[in-house]
């Protein structure tokens, strides 16, 4: 069909209405002929009259473009989800966001726990290394069996002077022998005054 002066190729809206699409058609810039499904979705949800009314209330072309984008988007979502539409999509996205936020929080807590365990392990390793380097002064070696035999309630009954002498006890007979040696030492007479002996000899 040849076009008249002032006519254009029919847009999706004019093709649906079976009318000529003029140059000043308000719907032609937004509903091209190669997008019939998009126009059908808008037509089913809003209707041509409501879309035209919305466009007439807007004077700015930028606002009209944004309004048509919103209308197309809502119409397509309503086609996919006729019951909830954009609200259902918003709820679904919000649930996904909450789930991902909770997962992120768990990951952060796990990382913090691993970080603290790593610090504690490093501190324990440092303490262990220092204990290996520093000498341990445990005193003179004492037979564990003797300590168990001579101790009551964890307290040793062996006299302290015997420890100081460095003796190792193997039984009651050894303790008696050591006591005799100590007694003989304490009974030794003091050294005589050499000066007095010299005077007596003269």
């Amino acid at each position: 069909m040849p076009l008249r002066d002032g006519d254009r190729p029919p847009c999706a809206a004019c093709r649906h209405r079976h009318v000529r699409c003029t140059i000043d058609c308000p719907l032609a810039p937004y509903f091209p002929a190669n997008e019939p499904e998009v126009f059908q979705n808008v037509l089913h949800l809003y209707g041509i009259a409501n879309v035209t009314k919305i466009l007439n209330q807007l004077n700015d072309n930028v606002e009209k473009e944004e309004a048509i984008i919103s209308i197309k988007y809502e119409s397509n979502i309503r086609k996919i989800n006729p019951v909830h539409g954009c609200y259902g999509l918003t709820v679904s996205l919000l649930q996904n966001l909450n789930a991902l936020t909770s997962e992120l929080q768990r990951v952060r807590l796990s990382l913090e726990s691993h970080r603290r365990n790593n610090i504690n392990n490093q501190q324990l390793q440092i303490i262990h290394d220092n204990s290996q380097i520093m000498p341990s002064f445990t005193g003179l070696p004492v037979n564990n069996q003797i300590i168990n035999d001579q101790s009551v309630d964890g307290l040793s009954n062996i006299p302290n002077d015997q420890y100081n002498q460095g003796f190792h006890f193997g039984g009651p007979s050894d303790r008696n022998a050591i006591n005799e040696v100590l007694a003989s030492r304490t009974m030794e007479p003091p050294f005589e005054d050499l000066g007095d002996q010299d005077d007596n000899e003269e």
Side-chain angles (χ1 to χ4, degrees):
M1 179 179 179
L3 298 177
R4 299 178 181 179
D5 294 339
D7 291 346
R8 64 167 65 187
C11 65
C14 293
R15 179 173 292 182
H16 173 74
R17 293 182 297 175
H18 301 287
V19 297
R20 293 182 181 276
C21 188
T22 60
I23 295 178
D24 57 351
C25 177
L27 301 178
Y30 311 110
F31 300 101
N34 58 353
E35 296 181 355
E37 294 182 358
V38 176
F39 175 75
Q40 290 297 328
N41 294 335
V42 174
L43 180 65
H44 179 73
L45 184 62
Y46 286 93
I48 296 178
N50 290 328
V51 174
T52 304
K53 181 179 180 180
I54 291 173
L55 293 176
N56 291 333
Q57 292 176 352
L58 302 175
N59 297 323
D60 190 358
N61 291 331
V62 176
E63 292 180 355
K64 290 182 180 181
E65 184 71 24
E66 293 178 352
I68 291 297
I69 291 175
S70 298
I71 290 173
K72 289 181 179 181
Y73 184 82
E74 185 177 0
S75 300
N76 293 334
I77 295 300
R78 183 68 65 171
K79 177 69 175 182
I80 298 173
N81 189 347
V83 178
H84 299 289
C86 289
Y87 174 77
L89 180 62
T90 302
V91 172
S92 177
L93 293 176
L94 184 60
Q95 291 176 351
N96 293 337
L97 178 61
N98 293 334
L100 293 175
T101 302
S102 300
E103 181 67 20
L104 179 60
Q105 184 67 19
R106 287 193 296 269
V107 171
R108 288 178 176 175
L109 292 176
S110 179
L111 291 175
E112 181 66 18
S113 177
H114 285 297
R115 186 185 68 83
R116 291 181 179 178
N117 290 336
N118 189 25
I119 293 176
N120 293 335
N121 292 335
Q122 290 179 356
Q123 292 176 350
L124 292 176
Q125 184 64 32
I126 292 174
I127 295 174
H128 177 72
D129 294 341
N130 292 336
S131 64
Q132 294 295 327
I133 296 174
M134 296 177 62
S136 59
F137 298 95
T138 59
L140 297 175
V142 180
N143 190 298
N144 291 333
Q145 183 63 34
I146 301 306
I147 293 178
N148 294 332
D149 294 340
Q150 303 298 329
S151 60
V152 177
D153 296 333
L155 299 176
S156 176
N157 293 328
I158 302 175
N160 292 331
D161 57 349
Q162 295 179 11
Y163 276 116
N164 295 333
Q165 297 296 330
F167 295 115
H168 305 281
F169 302 99
S173 60
D174 292 341
R175 185 173 64 254
N176 294 333
I178 296 303
N179 290 333
E180 294 177 0
V181 172
L182 293 176
S184 63
R185 289 185 179 180
T186 56
M187 295 301 294
E188 291 181 357
F191 292 103
E192 297 180 354
D193 189 355
L194 298 178
D196 296 339
Q197 292 181 357
D198 293 341
D199 294 338
N200 294 330
E201 290 177 357
E202 291 178 358

